[in-house]
Amino acid sequence: VAEHARDREMPFEAAALQLGVLDAPGLVRAVTVQLERRLLELFRWRNGHFGFYAGQEPPRDGMRLDVDPIGLLGRGLAAHMPLTALGAYFTRLGNPMISRVAIDPFPLERLRLQAREMRFSALLAQKPARVRDFLRANCKSEEDSETALRVMTLLYQSGFILTDGVSHATQTAGSEGPPRTTTNS
């Protein structure tokens, strides 16, 4: 397929379709899986940035994929963020008071939380608490702590909880932070 694509100067996907190696639904499934894998890989980055550029039109001959990036957030954190990194995140924030926002930014179901994660999400909604106090009161094992910290991070960065009354978006916009470097993955 690669040789056929190269010889005819056409995209690999088009060559696979032309040669009958893949049908259109199979191609969409394969590209969707590849895109999800690449999006999850972003969680391995330790520095870098990404961006969208104004005025850039998507390719007209592109295919629409059924990928839900919001649903991938929890999977990415679970796969690539160790307990030490999650704990250090809130330590850098100074053991903040965490509380749920008055109005959710989008339906919580879109995060595709597992039952155990939903339990911690419900506990976070009950009353404001300092991160360490919340962990002490609600976590009986290291696995509980990891799940709770992952849920806190996910909910904070997606706008469902505040730290010391401030949203992640507001805090990020108002801070200079370290210099940003680009990482190519």
Side-chain angles (χ1 to χ4, degrees):
V1 177
E3 187 176 318
H4 183 78
R6 193 172 35 255
D7 290 346
R8 288 166 181 72
E9 296 181 3
M10 63 191 326
F12 181 84
E13 298 84 1
L17 285 172
Q18 190 177 63
L19 291 171
V21 175
L22 282 174
D23 60 1
L27 176 63
V28 170
R29 278 191 304 277
V31 172
T32 298
V33 166
Q34 180 184 36
L35 177 60
E36 285 182 353
R37 205 175 300 132
R38 286 184 177 188
L39 288 171
L40 288 172
E41 192 67 27
L42 292 174
F43 288 89
R44 296 181 114 173
W45 291 16
R46 293 300 165 239
N47 59 34
H49 73 274
F50 68 92
F52 296 98
Y53 299 93
Q56 295 292 316
E57 292 292 321
R60 295 194 191 284
D61 60 345
M63 68 177 82
R64 183 155 177 81
L65 300 175
D66 188 24
V67 174
D68 178 18
I70 291 176
L72 292 175
L73 292 173
R75 285 178 43 205
L77 281 174
H80 299 295
M81 294 295 289
L83 179 58
T84 54
L86 294 168
Y89 181 72
F90 286 102
T91 298
R92 280 192 310 276
L93 292 176
N95 187 33
M97 178 71 71
I98 51 174
S99 59
R100 283 294 300 264
V101 295
I103 300 172
D104 289 344
F106 54 85
L108 184 64
E109 298 79 39
R110 289 202 51 208
L111 291 173
R112 297 185 195 173
L113 299 176
Q114 302 299 311
R116 179 183 185 90
E117 296 166 328
M118 284 300 296
R119 183 178 133 247
F120 284 109
S121 175
L123 289 168
L124 286 164
Q126 290 178 0
K127 65 179 183 173
R130 296 252 170 232
V131 171
R132 281 190 209 111
D133 296 339
F134 179 85
L135 295 173
R136 266 194 294 269
N138 297 294
C139 299
K140 308 300 180 228
S141 67
E142 189 171 298
E143 186 179 4
D144 279 352
S145 295
E146 184 171 2
T147 301
L149 284 166
R150 186 173 54 250
V151 169
M152 277 185 234
T153 303
L154 183 60
L155 294 181
Y156 176 55
Q157 292 195 352
S158 59
F160 285 88
I161 63 174
L162 307 172
T163 58
D164 293 332
V166 180
S167 73
H168 177 265
T170 301
Q171 194 158 25
T172 303
S175 69
E176 294 291 322
R180 296 183 348 161
T181 56
T182 303
T183 301
N184 296 324
S185 284

